[in-house]
Amino acid sequence: MKPAPVDPILALPQAHGWPPVSGRLRVEPEDFLVEELLSYGPSGEGEHAFLRVRKRQRNTEEVARLLARHAGVPLAAVGYAGLKDRQAVTVQSFSVHLPGQPGPDWSALDDEHVQVIDAQRHSRKIRRGSLRGNRFRLRLRDIAGERDALGERVVRVIDRGVPNYFGPQRFGHQGGNLVHAHALLMDELKRVPRQQKSLWLSAARSHLFNQVLAERVKAGSWDRPLAGEVMLLEGSQRQFPAPRVDAELVERMAAFDIHPSGPLCGRASRSLAPGDEVAELERRVLADWQDWQAGLERFGLDAMRRSLRLPVQELVWDWEDGDLHLDFSLMAGSYATAVVRELVEVV
């Protein structure tokens, strides 16, 4: 099946019903503030500069190139934990390998949209995957609708979480990454740069995950266990099979200790495979995407599992001059848009 070049998340169902209000997001970059939360801090000594950087209208890779050029080191000497959007204001950590060197004057960066707000030393390079989560502060403007109903919706999101959809950033403008992914998986493209190939393959299996999750949202089973689940422990990738649904499983899910999972398609790996009801549901949903699944296996991606449910931590909301402000934290790999679409219809 080939996806149409449209926004691939617009048609995904909401878990808590249509949002009670509508509004505009990202009118200004400052309307979308993100603070990266690492799993560790700088050690205070070592061969690497550990930088906290505030960036505006720059993506992570652009900042990494800027830091490398300023320090006179190759791009490979710069490390970071995750990628951040251009259309936002982000506080993010970078490391720069400077063995035996004090480092340059970081305040003299040649970019008015990038500022080093703290510089210390560290013993090792920041690696992808060391991200614990992100803290968001969002501003939504021109709010219309039933404002009095928003409080009840916020409580529901806190109590149950939201579907852990991959956000629109993963798919490109109007789903363009999926169009390229289809051509790649159908062997219609040759000599694709490695980074571009990785982006498109990631978009493809993110889309397949969203299809499975959407089916479970429609069925009302995205936040309750089915027979044959592969359960994930909160805050980790540890997995265990749940062939039966019992009271203990339901209780642990209600406490956000564990979450049901969905497929990140690829070749057989150490990741557990679902059984019974879950296996049948995933086979049915993905039946029209067998060519994509075969292509993902051919390109060597290992099958993995991802949580279907996203807990929303420290969610608070307030009004300022008629605009809605949302503050919350999310685990690494999840998207603020998955939260916003359950609270506000973005127009």
Side-chain angles (χ1 to χ4, degrees):
M1 179 182 292
K2 182 177 181 180
V6 297
D7 189 333
I9 75 162
L10 285 179
L12 296 176
Q14 279 99 342
H16 302 296
W18 196 253
V21 297
S22 63
R24 295 197 297 155
L25 181 61
R26 298 182 193 259
V27 176
E28 300 288 344
E30 286 76 12
D31 293 350
F32 202 101
L33 305 179
V34 188
E35 181 181 1
E36 188 179 72
L37 306 173
L38 290 187
S39 55
Y40 56 85
S43 62
E45 57 183 12
E47 295 185 344
H48 298 263
F50 189 107
L51 310 176
R52 290 290 280 174
V53 176
R54 186 179 189 271
K55 67 180 186 64
R56 181 183 188 273
Q57 293 186 308
R58 297 289 183 269
N59 65 36
T60 299
E61 293 166 342
E62 290 171 332
V63 175
R65 288 193 292 270
L66 173 66
L67 295 174
R69 184 170 63 250
H70 186 70
V73 298
L75 182 59
V78 179
Y80 47 85
L83 299 174
K84 296 293 184 290
D85 291 345
R86 173 193 293 268
Q87 298 303 321
V89 174
T90 304
V91 175
Q92 183 176 7
S93 295
F94 292 82
S95 65
V96 182
H97 192 207
L98 298 167
Q101 304 176 46
D105 178 4
W106 297 110
S107 67
L109 284 175
D110 187 24
D111 192 318
E112 62 179 347
H113 296 296
V114 180
Q115 177 187 10
V116 175
I117 57 179
D118 185 59
Q120 300 187 48
R121 300 298 287 197
H122 192 54
S123 56
R124 54 194 171 96
K125 183 178 184 178
I126 297 176
R127 300 286 183 182
R128 298 289 293 273
S130 58
L131 185 64
R132 177 168 58 87
N134 294 287
R135 179 75 186 168
F136 297 90
R137 179 163 177 80
L138 311 182
R139 178 178 184 176
L140 291 109
R141 304 170 185 256
D142 301 330
I143 298 295
E146 302 178 28
R147 295 192 178 199
D148 292 341
L150 184 60
E152 180 183 346
R153 177 61 60 89
V154 169
V155 170
R156 194 181 307 172
V157 165
I158 292 172
D159 288 345
R160 294 180 59 190
V162 299
N164 193 22
Y165 289 123
F166 284 98
Q169 305 96 307
R170 182 59 62 99
F171 307 112
H173 179 63
Q174 293 191 327
N177 288 347
L178 296 179
V179 176
H180 292 299
H182 179 78
L184 180 64
L185 293 168
M186 297 298 101
D187 206 25
E188 297 171 3
L189 296 177
K190 305 295 183 183
R191 299 181 180 179
V192 178
R194 180 180 177 182
Q195 187 174 4
Q196 198 70 64
K197 182 188 300 183
S198 176
L199 176 68
W200 293 341
L201 293 176
S202 179
R205 68 176 186 169
S206 299
H207 182 65
L208 298 185
F209 173 89
N210 277 3
Q211 303 313 299
V212 171
L213 177 51
E215 182 64 24
R216 293 196 59 164
V217 170
K218 286 188 287 186
S221 64
W222 66 279
D223 66 341
R224 65 177 178 84
L226 302 176
E229 296 280 10
V230 175
M231 305 299 297
L232 296 180
L233 289 173
E234 165 66 14
S236 80
Q237 284 298 309
R238 293 179 60 188
Q239 309 174 7
F240 68 91
R244 296 178 303 278
V245 177
D246 55 27
E248 180 184 3
L249 197 71
V250 173
E251 183 178 344
R252 291 183 69 186
M253 273 204 62
F256 285 92
D257 179 43
I258 57 175
H259 308 285
S261 67
L264 295 175
C265 296
R267 64 187 181 184
S269 67
R270 294 182 180 180
S271 180
L272 297 175
D276 298 333
E277 191 175 359
V278 174
E280 175 55 33
L281 181 149
E282 293 181 6
R283 278 194 296 267
R284 173 169 52 82
V285 173
L286 299 177
D288 290 335
W289 301 92
Q290 292 181 19
D291 288 344
W292 277 33
Q293 293 179 77
L296 291 168
E297 292 181 20
R298 187 175 70 252
F299 278 103
L301 277 73
D302 290 330
M304 301 173 65
R305 304 292 294 183
R306 172 182 168 92
S307 173
L308 296 177
R309 181 173 65 169
L310 175 60
V312 185
Q313 301 168 341
E314 304 171 312
L315 173 58
V316 295
W317 60 289
D318 61 78
W319 299 99
E320 182 179 318
D321 298 328
D323 295 336
L324 173 63
H325 289 259
L326 297 172
D327 286 75
F328 53 90
S329 297
L330 299 177
M331 62 185 179
S334 53
Y335 290 80
T337 49
V339 179
V340 173
R341 71 191 307 271
E342 295 288 342
L343 298 171
V344 181
E345 178 194 3
V346 177
V347 295

